[in-house]
Amino acid sequence: MRIKLRIKQKILLLIITTSTLLYAISIGYVLIQSRKMMVDDAIEKAKLVAENSAQKMQIFFERDLSLARTLAQGLSVFNELDSTVWQPFFAKMYRPILEQNLHINTLWDSWEYYSYVPNYTKGFGRYCISLFRDKNGVDIKIDRRSLTGDPLRYGGFKKGNQEGIWEPYLDQVLKSEEQYLMTTVAAPIRQQGKFVGIIGVDVTLEDLQKQVEKIRPVEGSYSFLISMGGIIAAHPDTSFVNKNISDVLANEVNKHKLLDVISNGKEYHYIKTDQNGDDHLTVFVPVKVGKSYSVWSLAYSVPMEIITSKVDKSFYVSLFVGFFGLILLVLVILFVANGLTRPITLITHSLKRLSMGEISEDLVLHLRTGDEIEDMAQALNYSIQGLNHKSVFATNIGKGNYSTQLELLSSNDELGKSLIEMQKSLIKAKNEEELRLAEERKRTWANEGIARFGEILHRFSNDQKHLIDELLRHFVKYLDANQGALYLLNEDGEEKFLEMVGAYAWDRKKLMTRKIMIGEGQVGACFHENQTIYLTKVPNDYIKIGSGLGDANPTCVVIVPLKHEAGTLGVLELASFQQIADYQVELLEKVCQSVANTISVVKINDRTRLLLEKSQEQAEQMQAQEEEMRQNMEELLATQEEMARKEHEMSLRMDAISGLAMITEYDFNGSILSVNHKICEVTGYAREELLNKHHSIIFNNQDFAKTESYTGFWKMMRNQVPFEGILRRKAKDGKEIIVKGYAYPMFDDDGLPLKVIEVGVKINEFLNQ
């Protein structure tokens, strides 16, 4: 049975129930979405904190990696110098670097034997120079390593041949007993891509530890630094430092595959629950440095309570306001329902007709009740008139009349606003379509131009003169220009200049100036700067465009360089009464690159043809000289046999001298480079005990190296004055050896010191007589 209710009851039942339900759903959805957005925003802020902190770590490593990279690039030419020069020179060069960078503990290098030792065929063995800090300042150590094979860490870096940051390790600093966590920032030394050595910078991670401890933007938050291999390099809890993250956070590592995240340099975050039941957000961001193969990561952890505290407060305030608004809505509906009277039926009838889509003037009501019902009727009438206007407006829009105007009923006329927005959208779509068609026409024009000029380049690739004439003619016509000229670099004489090799519709005065120096005028400046020049304010004396009505200045001039991978070959110059658009200039630049490549190929072909003719002439000359060379070779063989005989005699003489005299070679720092068998026999030292040691090791008086006589000796050596005198030496067992000695300094062709050769004869027996 159908239940009949009064209008007031229906309004109260349906409107209040529906409004309450919709309002509650809307408020609930808005609150839930707002809370989610606020939490997501807080997580993004945590990521931003981690990224900013990671950039500081990156700057820490990049500073030392840039130093190692710069040294590696600059010292890659080391084997162009004699080893007795570059080895001590590099050691001296490292000292001021280490002294000025106090955070560096050790600066060291390593040079593969196969890169500079003649006829060395092994893939291991290296010469190392290390400068490190001790309590007295900076000390140096020179040694040879990997004589039987490369160690694992060095061998892996050598195989990778890429700059990087090594895994953290414990080492002593300043020769103290305390060990510090350190890392090595290294860059490979390459020659033509081949690994020939390494520059290493050893630094402690103390500064990073301090930086990590300061990353506490909110209470309860902390961060820690992890190496690519999972080693914790810095942590507020120092008991975790130098431990693997798999041992400290085993569950998180297995659950979230953190080792893969760290080693692959990915960003990642997750929420975990600690032993107290509190949730923490943990964010991992990579610390990428230069082109390093190793990527470290910074982890930042913040309590979720901090993140959600403000969110929860805002949620509860919004919930209270929504509940209060819901009560207010119910009260308003009750108040309105009590003011309804019987004329509502007339309004209902009009509304039914209106709901069926009927819009006409006879729907207008003429009620004079003097209360809210009259206002409702007038509002309905106003709405009907507005709908009628909107219907006319929509009809005009449908016919394509976008200029028609619609007056809104009020600032809250959403339907009117939607229709106006629809009008704007249609106008925008029309404009965008016109722009799209214009861009499409530009692309089509450019593609056709590239195809047309490509065909010209292909067709005349063997004839430079015709190629240039055709290009200029098509450039001027395709861009609706008026004049054009092309200049190529002339390098045949002692002085380079730009020569006009082609012109189209050019005035006679301009044609007379066929030679332009580099940097001279706009054309020379374009070639020198290797950049396109676009002139819209052309000087009166620059160029004139002639026609049947007279001469006039062009509106614009475009000068484009002919760029080639080996350099700039020339310049294209166009003048026009019309403005040349940006997309047309872009076409010119693209085509000019192809023109430069084609002209370069044409020049190479011409040069190859000339070289071939020249080589044929030289071959004929070679045949004529072959007989003369054969005779010279016979004379040369005879000379070589005589030189071999004399070399053998000289070798016998040197063997005889070595059996009598003690021969020592040392550099200008006094470091022993080589000794003969006689000095080992007299002093009792083995050869290995003397090499790379200061020659004062065999001085009878160890303080002699500080005397004025010793200083005077080195002054004579640097002035290329030989020394001769009695020297007092000491054997390994402490016995004194008196030597009649002769020291001779050796310099290279550039006047740089190489070494000192000292020859001595033991004369103890003669003095005792």
Side-chain angles (χ1 to χ4, degrees):
M1 183 179 67
R2 183 178 181 183
I3 300 176
K4 294 184 177 180
L5 299 174
R6 299 174 64 183
I7 295 176
K8 180 179 179 181
Q9 294 173 334
K10 290 182 179 180
I11 292 175
L12 293 176
L13 179 62
L14 297 178
I15 296 181
I16 291 178
T17 302
T18 304
S19 299
T20 301
L21 180 61
L22 292 176
Y23 186 83
I25 293 174
S26 300
I27 291 296
Y29 177 78
V30 170
L31 290 177
I32 292 173
Q33 291 298 317
S34 298
R35 188 178 189 279
K36 182 177 181 301
M37 290 175 62
M38 294 177 70
V39 172
D40 292 341
D41 182 63
I43 292 176
E44 290 300 321
K45 290 181 179 178
K47 289 182 180 179
L48 183 60
V49 171
E51 290 173 356
N52 291 336
S53 302
Q55 290 180 357
K56 297 179 180 179
M57 310 298 167
Q58 178 181 345
I59 293 172
F60 176 85
F61 289 120
E62 182 63 34
R63 171 187 57 185
D64 298 321
L65 186 58
S66 297
L67 173 62
R69 184 188 304 122
T70 302
L71 287 174
Q73 293 172 353
L75 302 182
S76 61
V77 296
F78 73 102
N79 59 355
E80 295 182 7
L81 304 173
D82 189 89
S83 62
T84 59
V85 176
W86 65 261
Q87 291 173 356
F89 175 72
F90 289 175
K92 291 181 181 179
M93 183 180 65
Y94 296 155
R95 182 178 293 274
I97 295 175
L98 191 62
E99 291 174 347
Q100 295 175 13
N101 294 271
L102 300 180
H103 67 285
I104 299 177
N105 181 60
T106 304
L107 177 61
W108 57 276
D109 62 17
S110 177
W111 310 90
E112 295 291 330
Y113 281 167
Y114 59 71
S115 64
Y116 72 94
V117 177
N119 301 322
Y120 191 84
T121 59
K122 296 180 180 179
F124 50 84
R126 52 197 172 105
Y127 176 85
C128 300
I129 303 174
S130 302
L131 271 76
F132 54 89
R133 301 185 186 279
D134 59 14
K135 295 180 179 179
N136 299 323
V138 176
D139 201 356
I140 184 172
K141 179 181 179 182
I142 299 176
D143 56 355
R144 290 164 171 78
R145 302 179 184 175
S146 302
L147 298 179
T148 58
D150 291 324
L152 182 61
R153 180 178 295 180
Y154 177 82
F157 184 87
K158 175 180 176 180
K159 183 178 180 181
N161 195 15
Q162 185 178 356
E163 62 185 31
I165 305 170
W166 292 7
E167 288 295 301
Y169 57 88
L170 289 174
D171 200 355
Q172 293 181 343
V173 178
L174 299 179
K175 295 186 178 179
S176 63
E177 296 181 357
E178 184 179 359
Q179 288 187 328
Y180 291 85
L181 190 64
M182 304 183 65
T183 187
T184 296
V185 179
I189 304 173
R190 307 186 186 96
Q191 289 182 343
Q192 296 180 352
K194 182 180 179 181
F195 181 91
V196 297
I198 182 176
I199 296 293
V201 179
D202 297 346
V203 294
T204 65
L205 298 178
E206 287 294 304
D207 290 341
L208 290 181
Q209 175 68 24
K210 295 177 182 178
Q211 291 186 31
V212 167
E213 291 176 353
K214 293 179 181 178
I215 304 176
R216 296 175 178 270
V218 296
E219 183 178 358
S221 64
Y222 65 93
S223 63
F224 55 95
L225 184 65
I226 314 102
S227 70
M228 185 175 181
I231 302 300
I232 298 178
H235 196 288
D237 188 349
T238 56
S239 63
F240 291 157
V241 176
N242 202 28
K243 291 184 179 180
N244 196 289
I245 192 174
S246 300
D247 300 328
V248 178
L249 302 173
N251 294 333
E252 286 83 352
V253 170
N254 295 329
K255 181 178 180 181
H256 301 285
K257 298 181 179 180
L258 295 183
L259 291 179
D260 292 338
V261 172
I262 295 171
S263 62
N264 292 322
K266 299 179 180 178
E267 289 190 2
Y268 188 74
H269 72 275
Y270 63 88
I271 298 175
K272 69 172 183 177
T273 304
D274 62 13
Q275 57 186 5
N276 297 325
D278 298 327
D279 292 337
H280 289 260
L281 170 67
T282 302
V283 179
F284 285 81
V285 295
V287 181
K288 298 180 179 179
V289 184
K291 298 181 180 179
S292 173
Y293 67 87
S294 54
V295 180
W296 290 26
S297 292
L298 179 72
Y300 173 66
S301 180
V302 60
M304 288 297 294
E305 181 181 0
I306 299 297
I307 295 177
T308 59
S309 59
K310 295 182 180 180
V311 176
D312 292 338
K313 181 179 179 180
S314 176
F315 177 79
Y316 292 132
V317 171
S318 301
L319 186 63
F320 174 77
V321 172
F323 180 73
F324 180 77
L326 180 60
I327 294 176
L328 182 61
L329 177 64
V330 172
L331 294 176
V332 170
I333 294 174
L334 288 173
F335 178 76
V336 172
N338 290 329
L340 294 177
T341 59
R342 283 178 289 179
I344 196 67
T345 55
L346 295 175
I347 298 175
T348 303
H349 179 70
S350 295
L351 289 173
K352 286 182 179 180
R353 293 176 60 190
L354 191 63
S355 65
M356 298 299 293
E358 183 179 349
I359 300 177
S360 60
E361 292 295 334
D362 60 354
L363 291 176
V364 176
L365 300 176
H366 302 281
L367 296 176
R368 297 290 184 268
T369 60
D371 54 16
E372 292 82 355
I373 299 300
E374 182 179 347
D375 296 336
M376 184 183 299
Q378 291 177 355
L380 179 60
N381 294 339
Y382 192 52
S383 297
I384 292 171
Q385 293 172 356
L387 289 173
N388 189 33
H389 294 159
K390 291 179 177 66
S391 176
V392 174
F393 177 79
T395 301
N396 291 332
I397 293 296
K399 294 178 179 179
N401 183 10
Y402 299 135
S403 61
T404 184
Q405 299 294 324
L406 175 64
E407 183 178 354
L408 296 177
L409 299 178
S410 68
S411 60
N412 298 321
D413 187 358
E414 295 300 329
L415 179 58
K417 291 180 180 179
S418 298
L419 289 173
I420 293 175
E421 288 298 323
M422 178 188 70
Q423 180 190 32
K424 293 180 179 179
S425 298
L426 291 173
I427 294 174
K428 181 179 179 181
K430 180 182 179 182
N431 294 334
E432 288 178 351
E433 179 64 17
E434 291 176 352
L435 290 175
R436 187 190 67 79
L437 291 175
E439 290 297 325
E440 183 66 26
R441 286 193 295 270
K442 292 178 182 179
R443 284 194 295 270
T444 302
W445 181 87
N447 292 334
E448 291 178 354
I450 291 173
R452 178 181 298 183
F453 287 107
E455 181 184 356
I456 294 172
L457 292 174
H458 177 72
R459 191 182 346 143
F460 297 98
S461 60
N462 293 324
D463 189 340
Q464 179 174 313
K465 181 64 175 63
H466 285 80
L467 173 64
I468 292 173
D469 292 341
E470 286 297 313
L471 285 173
L472 287 173
R473 185 169 64 86
H474 281 79
F475 272 133
V476 171
K477 291 185 177 181
Y478 199 69
L479 275 75
D480 291 331
N482 298 90
Q483 294 180 347
L486 193 142
Y487 303 83
L488 293 181
L489 179 64
N490 191 318
E491 300 178 288
D492 293 340
E494 296 181 357
E495 188 178 26
K496 298 180 180 180
F497 61 90
L498 295 173
E499 180 182 10
M500 182 188 291
V501 295
Y504 184 87
W506 214 251
D507 67 319
R508 181 171 300 175
K509 180 179 179 182
K510 193 72 175 180
L511 286 172
M512 294 174 63
T513 310
R514 303 182 62 89
K515 178 179 178 181
I516 298 177
M517 305 307 297
I518 295 175
E520 178 186 355
Q522 298 294 339
V523 172
C526 174
F527 181 88
H528 179 70
E529 299 294 336
N530 201 22
Q531 296 291 334
T532 299
I533 295 178
Y534 185 80
L535 299 176
T536 55
K537 295 181 180 180
V538 183
N540 292 331
D541 58 348
Y542 185 78
I543 190 177
K544 297 290 185 180
I545 297 179
S547 66
L549 300 177
D551 296 335
N553 276 348
T555 302
C556 69
V557 174
V558 178
I559 309 172
V560 183
L562 303 180
K563 297 180 181 180
H564 185 255
E565 59 183 8
T568 304
L569 298 182
V571 172
L572 171 68
E573 184 180 19
L574 292 179
S576 174
F577 282 133
Q578 300 179 2
Q579 290 287 345
I580 298 179
D582 292 341
Y583 72 93
Q584 293 176 315
V585 176
E586 291 178 3
L587 173 67
L588 279 175
E589 292 176 338
K590 291 180 181 179
V591 174
C592 282
Q593 291 181 358
S594 301
V595 171
N597 292 331
T598 302
I599 292 176
S600 176
V601 171
V602 172
K603 288 186 174 182
I604 291 173
N605 291 338
D606 293 341
R607 192 179 298 113
T608 303
R609 184 173 61 255
L610 294 175
L611 290 175
L612 180 59
E613 295 174 356
K614 185 175 180 180
S615 65
Q616 290 174 351
E617 294 176 0
Q618 290 177 346
E620 294 175 356
Q621 294 176 1
M622 289 289 291
Q623 290 178 357
Q625 296 172 355
E626 183 176 355
E627 179 61 25
E628 183 180 353
M629 289 182 62
R630 185 184 62 78
Q631 296 176 1
N632 292 338
M633 285 298 295
E634 292 177 355
E635 296 176 358
L636 180 61
L637 289 175
T639 304
Q640 288 178 343
E641 291 175 357
E642 179 64 19
M643 290 180 64
R645 183 182 64 79
K646 291 182 179 180
E647 182 178 355
H648 179 65
E649 291 177 358
M650 182 60 70
S651 176
L652 294 176
R653 292 192 184 98
M654 289 304 297
D655 291 341
I657 293 173
S658 296
L660 175 63
M662 299 181 293
I663 301 175
T664 308
E665 295 182 5
Y666 45 88
D667 60 21
F668 273 69
N669 292 320
S671 181
I672 297 175
L673 302 175
S674 68
V675 295
N676 69 342
H677 173 73
K678 187 64 178 180
I679 198 170
C680 295
E681 177 185 334
V682 172
T683 62
Y685 284 101
R687 187 185 303 273
E688 292 75 13
E689 294 178 303
L690 295 176
L691 292 179
N692 296 321
K693 300 295 191 301
H694 195 271
H695 67 158
S696 63
I697 190 175
I698 59 175
F699 285 7
N700 186 32
N701 179 10
Q702 292 298 315
D703 295 329
F704 180 73
K706 302 178 181 178
T707 63
E708 292 182 1
S709 299
Y710 185 73
T711 303
F713 168 80
W714 279 113
K715 185 176 181 180
M716 293 175 63
M717 295 298 101
R718 292 187 177 90
N719 291 330
Q720 302 187 26
V721 178
F723 168 82
E724 181 178 0
I726 302 300
L727 306 174
R728 294 185 179 275
R729 299 290 188 247
K730 181 180 66 175
K732 185 176 183 181
D733 57 6
K735 293 181 179 180
E736 184 181 46
I737 304 170
I738 301 176
V739 178
K740 174 66 174 180
Y742 180 83
Y744 186 83
M746 296 185 65
F747 291 75
D748 61 12
D749 294 338
D750 296 326
L752 297 176
L754 294 176
K755 58 186 177 181
V756 177
I757 299 178
E758 180 183 304
V759 181
V761 179
K762 180 180 177 184
I763 61 173
N764 292 54
E765 296 81 358
F766 301 100
L767 294 177
N768 293 332
Q769 294 177 0

